[in-house]
Amino acid sequence: MSLIETARKVRENAHAPYSNFKVGAALRAASGAVYAGCNVENVAYPEGTCAEAGAIAAMVAGGDSQIAEIAVIADSPKPVSPCGGCRQKIAEFASGDVIVTLTTIDGVTMQTTVADLLPGVFDADYMSRV
Ligand code: THU
């Protein structure tokens, strides 16, 4: 199954009763293992946890720490754009050249990179004097 197909399938499991906006994400780790996540909202924090964060949490729990490729899917008029927090979370585990595929359930797809999504990323180098 492709990453987009995996993301499409996990999106169906999203818990999004507040936004009604379901998102699916799937990533391939450097090990080759594939991890998936969907957004999970709750009444106290209706924005909940993003699909990308879910996939990353599954990856870390699975013992991987390097994203080789990631895909995100939603039912949006144009390919869904990861929020700022997710961009930083993706950048924590991916080099700048990692391909990010953003797509709609109709199949409108665009590809970008982690560096293009988050130029000027704050990384550990900034803390090298500590
Ligand atoms: N959401 C994601 O899961 N990923 C994104 O890239 C954009 C937004 C979720 C968070 C929330 O559950 C809903 O979409 C509306 O913001």
Side-chain angles (χ1 to χ4, degrees), residues 35-37 53-64:
Y35 299 96
I56 288 168
M59 176 187 76
V60 173
D64 278 307

Side-chain angles (χ1 to χ4, degrees), residues 60-107:
V60 173
D64 278 307
S65 58
Q66 201 60 40
I67 299 172
E69 197 187 343
I70 182 167
V72 189
I73 190 168
D75 184 10
S76 44
K78 55 186 180 180
V80 64
S81 183
C83 76
C86 284
R87 291 173 193 224
Q88 187 74 49
K89 287 173 190 141
I90 293 167
E92 177 77 13
F93 300 102
S95 57
D97 61 353
V98 163
I99 301 288
V100 183
T101 301
L102 306 173
T103 189
T104 73
I105 61 168
D106 309 319

Side-chain angles (χ1 to χ4, degrees), residues 8 13 27 32 35 39 43 50 55 62-64 74-75 83 91 94 98 108 115 120 127:
R8 180 185 292 271
N13 297 337
L27 67 85
Y35 299 96
N39 54 329
V43 65
C50 287
D64 278 307
D75 184 10
C83 76
V98 163
V108 182
M127 299 190 293

